[in-house]
Amino acid sequence: MIHPMRGQVIVRELLESSPIWRPDAPRDRRIHRGTVLALGAPARTSKGVEVPFGFGVGDVVLYSFVHNEKAFT
């Protein structure tokens, strides 16, 4: 069983669809579709107020991620 940390989400990419390009996104960033597998506890603001997720487990979401190659070397 996977238990994400506070404010984190685990998503499985839907491979049958190609990445989506949005006109307002930079050219090097691609938007992917995926199914939410698990949610961590809601994130908290600096004042301690919890910020709920706008989606749940099993929902299909659009997401993008940035890989920082220097962080892994």
Side-chain angles (χ1 to χ4, degrees), residues 1-5 8-12 36-41 57:
M1 184 85 166
I2 298 173
H3 298 283
M5 294 172 49
Q8 293 186 341
V9 179
I10 297 177
V11 178
R12 175 181 289 150
V36 177
L37 299 179
L39 297 172
V57 174

Side-chain angles (χ1 to χ4, degrees), residues 1-71:
M1 184 85 166
I2 298 173
H3 298 283
M5 294 172 49
R6 181 173 293 278
Q8 293 186 341
V9 179
I10 297 177
V11 178
R12 175 181 289 150
E13 184 177 8
L14 295 175
L15 297 176
E16 68 270 1
S17 64
S18 61
I20 299 168
W21 177 79
R22 289 187 1 210
D24 59 339
R27 291 258 183 211
D28 59 342
R29 183 178 298 172
R30 298 207 175 179
I31 309 298
H32 302 270
R33 286 181 41 163
T35 304
V36 177
L37 299 179
L39 297 172
R44 287 188 182 157
T45 64
S46 59
K47 295 182 179 181
V49 178
E50 289 189 346
V51 180
F53 293 106
F55 47 86
V57 174
D59 290 347
V60 175
V61 295
L62 296 176
Y63 68 95
S64 69
F65 61 92
V66 177
H67 174 67
N68 184 356
E69 188 175 320
K70 292 181 181 180

